[in-house]
PDB file of all heavy atoms in Angstrom:
ATOM      1  N   GLY A 188      59.674 -32.461 -91.850  1.00  0.00           N
ATOM      2  CA  GLY A 188      59.991 -31.142 -91.445  1.00  0.00           C
ATOM      3  C   GLY A 188      58.741 -30.330 -91.099  1.00  0.00           C
ATOM      4  O   GLY A 188      58.847 -29.445 -90.245  1.00  0.00           O
ATOM      5  N   ARG A 189      57.697 -30.644 -91.792  1.00  0.00           N
ATOM      6  CA  ARG A 189      56.449 -29.991 -91.467  1.00  0.00           C
ATOM      7  C   ARG A 189      55.586 -30.519 -90.488  1.00  0.00           C
ATOM      8  O   ARG A 189      54.793 -29.847 -89.869  1.00  0.00           O
ATOM      9  CB  ARG A 189      55.589 -29.794 -92.839  1.00  0.00           C
ATOM     10  CG  ARG A 189      56.287 -28.966 -93.885  1.00  0.00           C
ATOM     11  CD  ARG A 189      55.314 -28.495 -94.955  1.00  0.00           C
ATOM     12  NE  ARG A 189      55.980 -27.465 -95.715  1.00  0.00           N
ATOM     13  CZ  ARG A 189      55.431 -26.820 -96.843  1.00  0.00           C
ATOM     14  NH1 ARG A 189      54.264 -27.234 -97.116  1.00  0.00           N
ATOM     15  NH2 ARG A 189      56.044 -25.809 -97.473  1.00  0.00           N
ATOM     16  N   ARG A 190      55.827 -31.780 -90.194  1.00  0.00           N
ATOM     17  CA  ARG A 190      55.098 -32.609 -89.116  1.00  0.00           C
ATOM     18  C   ARG A 190      55.955 -33.310 -88.146  1.00  0.00           C
ATOM     19  O   ARG A 190      56.064 -34.554 -88.193  1.00  0.00           O
ATOM     20  CB  ARG A 190      54.067 -33.528 -89.806  1.00  0.00           C
ATOM     21  CG  ARG A 190      53.124 -32.819 -90.788  1.00  0.00           C
ATOM     22  CD  ARG A 190      52.212 -33.938 -91.530  1.00  0.00           C
ATOM     23  NE  ARG A 190      51.516 -34.780 -90.537  1.00  0.00           N
ATOM     24  CZ  ARG A 190      50.358 -34.429 -90.059  1.00  0.00           C
ATOM     25  NH1 ARG A 190      49.731 -33.262 -90.379  1.00  0.00           N
ATOM     26  NH2 ARG A 190      49.762 -35.229 -89.250  1.00  0.00           N
ATOM     27  N   PRO A 191      56.735 -32.506 -87.482  1.00  0.00           N
ATOM     28  CA  PRO A 191      57.854 -32.987 -86.539  1.00  0.00           C
ATOM     29  C   PRO A 191      57.239 -33.886 -85.414  1.00  0.00           C
ATOM     30  O   PRO A 191      58.067 -34.811 -84.878  1.00  0.00           O
ATOM     31  CB  PRO A 191      58.562 -31.812 -86.047  1.00  0.00           C
ATOM     32  CG  PRO A 191      57.618 -30.735 -86.000  1.00  0.00           C
ATOM     33  CD  PRO A 191      56.704 -30.969 -87.297  1.00  0.00           C
ATOM     34  N   ASP A 192      56.036 -33.805 -85.132  1.00  0.00           N
ATOM     35  CA  ASP A 192      55.458 -34.602 -83.967  1.00  0.00           C
ATOM     36  C   ASP A 192      54.577 -35.722 -84.482  1.00  0.00           C
ATOM     37  O   ASP A 192      53.847 -36.401 -83.727  1.00  0.00           O
ATOM     38  CB  ASP A 192      54.667 -33.667 -83.117  1.00  0.00           C
ATOM     39  CG  ASP A 192      55.386 -32.526 -82.478  1.00  0.00           C
ATOM     40  OD1 ASP A 192      56.553 -32.804 -82.045  1.00  0.00           O
ATOM     41  OD2 ASP A 192      55.018 -31.344 -82.509  1.00  0.00           O
ATOM     42  N   ASP A 193      54.629 -36.009 -85.758  1.00  0.00           N
ATOM     43  CA  ASP A 193      53.861 -37.095 -86.335  1.00  0.00           C
ATOM     44  C   ASP A 193      54.490 -38.366 -86.022  1.00  0.00           C
ATOM     45  O   ASP A 193      55.406 -38.784 -86.757  1.00  0.00           O
ATOM     46  CB  ASP A 193      53.639 -36.880 -87.813  1.00  0.00           C
ATOM     47  CG  ASP A 193      52.639 -37.778 -88.487  1.00  0.00           C
ATOM     48  OD1 ASP A 193      52.441 -38.956 -87.889  1.00  0.00           O
ATOM     49  OD2 ASP A 193      52.142 -37.412 -89.500  1.00  0.00           O
ATOM     50  N   ARG A 194      54.041 -39.097 -85.033  1.00  0.00           N
ATOM     51  CA  ARG A 194      54.802 -40.331 -84.568  1.00  0.00           C
ATOM     52  C   ARG A 194      54.517 -41.400 -85.757  1.00  0.00           C
ATOM     53  O   ARG A 194      55.347 -42.287 -85.812  1.00  0.00           O
ATOM     54  CB  ARG A 194      54.198 -40.814 -83.219  1.00  0.00           C
ATOM     55  CG  ARG A 194      54.686 -39.863 -82.128  1.00  0.00           C
ATOM     56  CD  ARG A 194      54.305 -40.535 -80.783  1.00  0.00           C
ATOM     57  NE  ARG A 194      52.897 -40.619 -80.471  1.00  0.00           N
ATOM     58  CZ  ARG A 194      52.342 -39.733 -79.775  1.00  0.00           C
ATOM     59  NH1 ARG A 194      52.902 -38.637 -79.325  1.00  0.00           N
ATOM     60  NH2 ARG A 194      50.920 -39.956 -79.610  1.00  0.00           N
ATOM     61  N   ARG A 195      53.440 -41.438 -86.389  1.00  0.00           N
ATOM     62  CA  ARG A 195      53.157 -42.389 -87.399  1.00  0.00           C
ATOM     63  C   ARG A 195      54.042 -42.281 -88.516  1.00  0.00           C
ATOM     64  O   ARG A 195      54.582 -43.286 -89.142  1.00  0.00           O
ATOM     65  CB  ARG A 195      51.697 -42.412 -87.775  1.00  0.00           C
ATOM     66  CG  ARG A 195      50.579 -42.807 -86.798  1.00  0.00           C
ATOM     67  CD  ARG A 195      49.231 -42.622 -87.120  1.00  0.00           C
ATOM     68  NE  ARG A 195      48.912 -43.328 -88.396  1.00  0.00           N
ATOM     69  CZ  ARG A 195      47.717 -43.141 -89.012  1.00  0.00           C
ATOM     70  NH1 ARG A 195      46.839 -42.316 -88.665  1.00  0.00           N
ATOM     71  NH2 ARG A 195      47.487 -43.936 -90.090  1.00  0.00           N
ATOM     72  N   LEU A 196      54.266 -41.026 -88.903  1.00  0.00           N
ATOM     73  CA  LEU A 196      55.319 -40.819 -89.971  1.00  0.00           C
ATOM     74  C   LEU A 196      56.706 -41.261 -89.522  1.00  0.00           C
ATOM     75  O   LEU A 196      57.481 -41.906 -90.316  1.00  0.00           O
ATOM     76  CB  LEU A 196      55.251 -39.284 -90.346  1.00  0.00           C
ATOM     77  CG  LEU A 196      56.297 -38.768 -91.362  1.00  0.00           C
ATOM     78  CD1 LEU A 196      56.013 -39.528 -92.689  1.00  0.00           C
ATOM     79  CD2 LEU A 196      56.177 -37.289 -91.685  1.00  0.00           C
ATOM     80  N   ALA A 197      57.012 -40.849 -88.264  1.00  0.00           N
ATOM     81  CA  ALA A 197      58.402 -41.227 -87.813  1.00  0.00           C
ATOM     82  C   ALA A 197      58.472 -42.827 -87.758  1.00  0.00           C
ATOM     83  O   ALA A 197      59.604 -43.367 -88.146  1.00  0.00           O
ATOM     84  CB  ALA A 197      58.635 -40.634 -86.447  1.00  0.00           C
ATOM     85  N   ALA A 198      57.401 -43.525 -87.428  1.00  0.00           N
ATOM     86  CA  ALA A 198      57.494 -44.978 -87.371  1.00  0.00           C
ATOM     87  C   ALA A 198      57.576 -45.525 -88.789  1.00  0.00           C
ATOM     88  O   ALA A 198      58.311 -46.502 -89.000  1.00  0.00           O
ATOM     89  CB  ALA A 198      56.219 -45.499 -86.703  1.00  0.00           C
ATOM     90  N   LEU A 199      56.810 -44.913 -89.654  1.00  0.00           N
ATOM     91  CA  LEU A 199      57.022 -45.391 -91.121  1.00  0.00           C
ATOM     92  C   LEU A 199      58.441 -45.195 -91.699  1.00  0.00           C
ATOM     93  O   LEU A 199      59.032 -46.122 -92.287  1.00  0.00           O
ATOM     94  CB  LEU A 199      56.025 -44.651 -91.987  1.00  0.00           C
ATOM     95  CG  LEU A 199      56.120 -44.844 -93.514  1.00  0.00           C
ATOM     96  CD1 LEU A 199      55.749 -46.291 -93.794  1.00  0.00           C
ATOM     97  CD2 LEU A 199      55.206 -43.930 -94.339  1.00  0.00           C
ATOM     98  N   VAL A 200      58.977 -44.050 -91.365  1.00  0.00           N
ATOM     99  CA  VAL A 200      60.415 -43.749 -91.852  1.00  0.00           C
ATOM    100  C   VAL A 200      61.359 -44.843 -91.189  1.00  0.00           C
ATOM    101  O   VAL A 200      62.190 -45.351 -91.928  1.00  0.00           O
ATOM    102  CB  VAL A 200      60.812 -42.333 -91.526  1.00  0.00           C
ATOM    103  CG1 VAL A 200      62.375 -42.139 -91.772  1.00  0.00           C
ATOM    104  CG2 VAL A 200      59.984 -41.395 -92.397  1.00  0.00           C
ATOM    105  N   ALA A 201      61.203 -44.980 -89.909  1.00  0.00           N
ATOM    106  CA  ALA A 201      62.075 -46.034 -89.237  1.00  0.00           C
ATOM    107  C   ALA A 201      61.896 -47.312 -89.797  1.00  0.00           C
ATOM    108  O   ALA A 201      62.919 -48.131 -89.942  1.00  0.00           O
ATOM    109  CB  ALA A 201      61.677 -45.994 -87.675  1.00  0.00           C
ATOM    110  N   GLU A 202      60.728 -47.799 -90.096  1.00  0.00           N
ATOM    111  CA  GLU A 202      60.408 -49.114 -90.698  1.00  0.00           C
ATOM    112  C   GLU A 202      61.123 -49.267 -92.143  1.00  0.00           C
ATOM    113  O   GLU A 202      61.873 -50.244 -92.295  1.00  0.00           O
ATOM    114  CB  GLU A 202      58.942 -49.327 -90.883  1.00  0.00           C
ATOM    115  CG  GLU A 202      58.587 -50.555 -91.541  1.00  0.00           C
ATOM    116  CD  GLU A 202      57.124 -50.658 -91.989  1.00  0.00           C
ATOM    117  OE1 GLU A 202      56.299 -49.682 -91.505  1.00  0.00           O
ATOM    118  OE2 GLU A 202      56.673 -51.553 -92.633  1.00  0.00           O
ATOM    119  N   LEU A 203      61.029 -48.200 -92.931  1.00  0.00           N
ATOM    120  CA  LEU A 203      61.515 -48.330 -94.182  1.00  0.00           C
ATOM    121  C   LEU A 203      63.091 -48.205 -94.135  1.00  0.00           C
ATOM    122  O   LEU A 203      63.755 -48.984 -94.924  1.00  0.00           O
ATOM    123  CB  LEU A 203      61.131 -47.165 -95.071  1.00  0.00           C
ATOM    124  CG  LEU A 203      59.566 -47.137 -95.306  1.00  0.00           C
ATOM    125  CD1 LEU A 203      59.136 -45.880 -96.108  1.00  0.00           C
ATOM    126  CD2 LEU A 203      59.142 -48.460 -95.983  1.00  0.00           C
ATOM    127  N   ARG A 204      63.669 -47.368 -93.290  1.00  0.00           N
ATOM    128  CA  ARG A 204      65.123 -47.307 -93.159  1.00  0.00           C
ATOM    129  C   ARG A 204      65.630 -48.673 -92.676  1.00  0.00           C
ATOM    130  O   ARG A 204      66.746 -49.136 -93.129  1.00  0.00           O
ATOM    131  CB  ARG A 204      65.507 -46.286 -92.107  1.00  0.00           C
ATOM    132  CG  ARG A 204      65.234 -44.850 -92.625  1.00  0.00           C
ATOM    133  CD  ARG A 204      65.768 -43.877 -91.656  1.00  0.00           C
ATOM    134  NE  ARG A 204      67.211 -43.850 -91.553  1.00  0.00           N
ATOM    135  CZ  ARG A 204      67.937 -43.270 -90.596  1.00  0.00           C
ATOM    136  NH1 ARG A 204      67.363 -42.492 -89.613  1.00  0.00           N
ATOM    137  NH2 ARG A 204      69.291 -43.337 -90.564  1.00  0.00           N
ATOM    138  N   ALA A 205      64.971 -49.351 -91.728  1.00  0.00           N
ATOM    139  CA  ALA A 205      65.491 -50.650 -91.179  1.00  0.00           C
ATOM    140  C   ALA A 205      65.382 -51.777 -92.329  1.00  0.00           C
ATOM    141  O   ALA A 205      66.215 -52.713 -92.376  1.00  0.00           O
ATOM    142  CB  ALA A 205      64.698 -51.046 -90.003  1.00  0.00           C
ATOM    143  N   ALA A 206      64.431 -51.617 -93.245  1.00  0.00           N
ATOM    144  CA  ALA A 206      64.206 -52.607 -94.153  1.00  0.00           C
ATOM    145  C   ALA A 206      65.036 -52.444 -95.390  1.00  0.00           C
ATOM    146  O   ALA A 206      65.310 -53.423 -96.218  1.00  0.00           O
ATOM    147  CB  ALA A 206      62.755 -52.714 -94.535  1.00  0.00           C
ATOM    148  N   ASP A 207      65.424 -51.190 -95.662  1.00  0.00           N
ATOM    149  CA  ASP A 207      66.047 -51.015 -97.074  1.00  0.00           C
ATOM    150  C   ASP A 207      67.265 -50.048 -96.859  1.00  0.00           C
ATOM    151  O   ASP A 207      67.079 -48.936 -96.465  1.00  0.00           O
ATOM    152  CB  ASP A 207      64.945 -50.286 -98.033  1.00  0.00           C
ATOM    153  CG  ASP A 207      65.444 -50.096 -99.448  1.00  0.00           C
ATOM    154  OD1 ASP A 207      66.699 -49.955 -99.682  1.00  0.00           O
ATOM    155  OD2 ASP A 207      64.601 -50.291-100.339  1.00  0.00           O
ATOM    156  N   PRO A 208      68.416 -50.486 -97.119  1.00  0.00           N
ATOM    157  CA  PRO A 208      69.611 -49.626 -97.022  1.00  0.00           C
ATOM    158  C   PRO A 208      69.576 -48.454 -97.951  1.00  0.00           C
ATOM    159  O   PRO A 208      70.212 -47.365 -97.573  1.00  0.00           O
ATOM    160  CB  PRO A 208      70.762 -50.584 -97.382  1.00  0.00           C
ATOM    161  CG  PRO A 208      70.182 -51.673 -98.126  1.00  0.00           C
ATOM    162  CD  PRO A 208      68.835 -51.841 -97.529  1.00  0.00           C
ATOM    163  N   ASP A 209      68.969 -48.573 -98.974  1.00  0.00           N
ATOM    164  CA  ASP A 209      68.839 -47.325 -99.913  1.00  0.00           C
ATOM    165  C   ASP A 209      68.085 -46.226 -99.270  1.00  0.00           C
ATOM    166  O   ASP A 209      68.393 -45.061 -99.305  1.00  0.00           O
ATOM    167  CB  ASP A 209      68.152 -47.743-101.189  1.00  0.00           C
ATOM    168  CG  ASP A 209      69.015 -48.602-102.198  1.00  0.00           C
ATOM    169  OD1 ASP A 209      70.240 -48.322-102.154  1.00  0.00           O
ATOM    170  OD2 ASP A 209      68.498 -49.421-102.791  1.00  0.00           O
ATOM    171  N   VAL A 210      67.036 -46.525 -98.500  1.00  0.00           N
ATOM    172  CA  VAL A 210      66.182 -45.578 -97.845  1.00  0.00           C
ATOM    173  C   VAL A 210      67.074 -44.850 -96.730  1.00  0.00           C
ATOM    174  O   VAL A 210      67.116 -43.764 -96.526  1.00  0.00           O
ATOM    175  CB  VAL A 210      64.910 -46.235 -97.175  1.00  0.00           C
ATOM    176  CG1 VAL A 210      64.218 -45.104 -96.315  1.00  0.00           C
ATOM    177  CG2 VAL A 210      64.072 -46.663 -98.243  1.00  0.00           C
ATOM    178  N   ALA A 211      67.777 -45.765 -96.024  1.00  0.00           N
ATOM    179  CA  ALA A 211      68.625 -45.247 -94.885  1.00  0.00           C
ATOM    180  C   ALA A 211      69.698 -44.244 -95.474  1.00  0.00           C
ATOM    181  O   ALA A 211      69.950 -43.167 -94.943  1.00  0.00           O
ATOM    182  CB  ALA A 211      69.390 -46.406 -94.200  1.00  0.00           C
ATOM    183  N   ARG A 212      70.409 -44.639 -96.596  1.00  0.00           N
ATOM    184  CA  ARG A 212      71.357 -43.742 -97.139  1.00  0.00           C
ATOM    185  C   ARG A 212      70.756 -42.452 -97.746  1.00  0.00           C
ATOM    186  O   ARG A 212      71.325 -41.400 -97.474  1.00  0.00           O
ATOM    187  CB  ARG A 212      71.974 -44.552 -98.347  1.00  0.00           C
ATOM    188  CG  ARG A 212      72.999 -43.697 -99.231  1.00  0.00           C
ATOM    189  CD  ARG A 212      73.764 -44.664-100.093  1.00  0.00           C
ATOM    190  NE  ARG A 212      72.878 -45.499-100.939  1.00  0.00           N
ATOM    191  CZ  ARG A 212      72.369 -45.084-102.137  1.00  0.00           C
ATOM    192  NH1 ARG A 212      72.711 -43.878-102.581  1.00  0.00           N
ATOM    193  NH2 ARG A 212      71.665 -45.846-102.748  1.00  0.00           N
ATOM    194  N   TRP A 213      69.602 -42.518 -98.410  1.00  0.00           N
ATOM    195  CA  TRP A 213      69.019 -41.279 -98.928  1.00  0.00           C
ATOM    196  C   TRP A 213      68.498 -40.427 -97.774  1.00  0.00           C
ATOM    197  O   TRP A 213      68.670 -39.176 -97.860  1.00  0.00           O
ATOM    198  CB  TRP A 213      67.875 -41.609 -99.848  1.00  0.00           C
ATOM    199  CG  TRP A 213      68.336 -42.177-101.139  1.00  0.00           C
ATOM    200  CD1 TRP A 213      69.412 -41.878-101.885  1.00  0.00           C
ATOM    201  CD2 TRP A 213      67.680 -43.179-101.959  1.00  0.00           C
ATOM    202  NE1 TRP A 213      69.548 -42.665-103.014  1.00  0.00           N
ATOM    203  CE2 TRP A 213      68.479 -43.531-103.026  1.00  0.00           C
ATOM    204  CE3 TRP A 213      66.448 -43.890-101.764  1.00  0.00           C
ATOM    205  CZ2 TRP A 213      68.115 -44.436-104.029  1.00  0.00           C
ATOM    206  CZ3 TRP A 213      66.097 -44.845-102.707  1.00  0.00           C
ATOM    207  CH2 TRP A 213      66.925 -45.082-103.787  1.00  0.00           C
ATOM    208  N   TRP A 214      68.055 -40.960 -96.745  1.00  0.00           N
ATOM    209  CA  TRP A 214      67.601 -40.229 -95.594  1.00  0.00           C
ATOM    210  C   TRP A 214      68.682 -39.492 -94.891  1.00  0.00           C
ATOM    211  O   TRP A 214      68.491 -38.415 -94.614  1.00  0.00           O
ATOM    212  CB  TRP A 214      66.688 -41.159 -94.588  1.00  0.00           C
ATOM    213  CG  TRP A 214      66.124 -40.468 -93.515  1.00  0.00           C
ATOM    214  CD1 TRP A 214      66.512 -40.056 -92.208  1.00  0.00           C
ATOM    215  CD2 TRP A 214      64.717 -39.844 -93.468  1.00  0.00           C
ATOM    216  NE1 TRP A 214      65.776 -39.372 -91.506  1.00  0.00           N
ATOM    217  CE2 TRP A 214      64.644 -39.254 -92.309  1.00  0.00           C
ATOM    218  CE3 TRP A 214      63.800 -39.662 -94.529  1.00  0.00           C
ATOM    219  CZ2 TRP A 214      63.424 -38.541 -91.895  1.00  0.00           C
ATOM    220  CZ3 TRP A 214      62.650 -39.008 -94.181  1.00  0.00           C
ATOM    221  CH2 TRP A 214      62.528 -38.506 -92.956  1.00  0.00           C
ATOM    222  N   ASP A 215      69.830 -40.176 -94.776  1.00  0.00           N
ATOM    223  CA  ASP A 215      70.961 -39.670 -93.956  1.00  0.00           C
ATOM    224  C   ASP A 215      71.672 -38.530 -94.827  1.00  0.00           C
ATOM    225  O   ASP A 215      72.295 -37.796 -94.356  1.00  0.00           O
ATOM    226  CB  ASP A 215      71.967 -40.765 -93.733  1.00  0.00           C
ATOM    227  CG  ASP A 215      71.443 -41.702 -92.609  1.00  0.00           C
ATOM    228  OD1 ASP A 215      70.407 -41.385 -91.934  1.00  0.00           O
ATOM    229  OD2 ASP A 215      71.960 -42.875 -92.449  1.00  0.00           O
ATOM    230  N   ASP A 216      71.252 -38.585 -96.188  1.00  0.00           N
ATOM    231  CA  ASP A 216      71.827 -37.449 -97.085  1.00  0.00           C
ATOM    232  C   ASP A 216      71.175 -36.179 -96.752  1.00  0.00           C
ATOM    233  O   ASP A 216      71.593 -35.085 -97.305  1.00  0.00           O
ATOM    234  CB  ASP A 216      71.777 -37.934 -98.484  1.00  0.00           C
ATOM    235  CG  ASP A 216      72.394 -37.012 -99.347  1.00  0.00           C
ATOM    236  OD1 ASP A 216      73.605 -36.599 -99.235  1.00  0.00           O
ATOM    237  OD2 ASP A 216      71.780 -36.516-100.450  1.00  0.00           O
ATOM    238  N   HIS A 217      69.976 -36.181 -96.102  1.00  0.00           N
ATOM    239  CA  HIS A 217      69.108 -35.019 -95.849  1.00  0.00           C
ATOM    240  C   HIS A 217      68.579 -34.276 -97.051  1.00  0.00           C
ATOM    241  O   HIS A 217      68.196 -33.071 -97.059  1.00  0.00           O
ATOM    242  CB  HIS A 217      69.908 -33.970 -95.046  1.00  0.00           C
ATOM    243  CG  HIS A 217      70.213 -34.394 -93.614  1.00  0.00           C
ATOM    244  ND1 HIS A 217      69.385 -34.103 -92.625  1.00  0.00           N
ATOM    245  CD2 HIS A 217      71.289 -35.132 -93.129  1.00  0.00           C
ATOM    246  CE1 HIS A 217      69.849 -34.642 -91.502  1.00  0.00           C
ATOM    247  NE2 HIS A 217      71.046 -35.363 -91.752  1.00  0.00           N
ATOM    248  N   GLY A 218      68.555 -34.963 -98.207  1.00  0.00           N
ATOM    249  CA  GLY A 218      68.013 -34.297 -99.419  1.00  0.00           C
ATOM    250  C   GLY A 218      66.477 -34.163 -99.210  1.00  0.00           C
ATOM    251  O   GLY A 218      65.754 -35.018 -98.576  1.00  0.00           O
TER     252      GLY A 218
END
Side-chain angles (χ1 to χ4, degrees):
R189 295 196 164 180
R190 300 177 59 84
D192 300 315
D193 190 333
R194 291 193 292 267
R195 292 173 60 190
L196 176 58
L199 173 64
V200 170
E202 175 190 355
L203 298 178
R204 291 185 66 190
D207 190 325
D209 287 322
V210 175
R212 174 168 53 86
W213 290 324
W214 187 266
D215 292 342
D216 185 53
H217 290 269

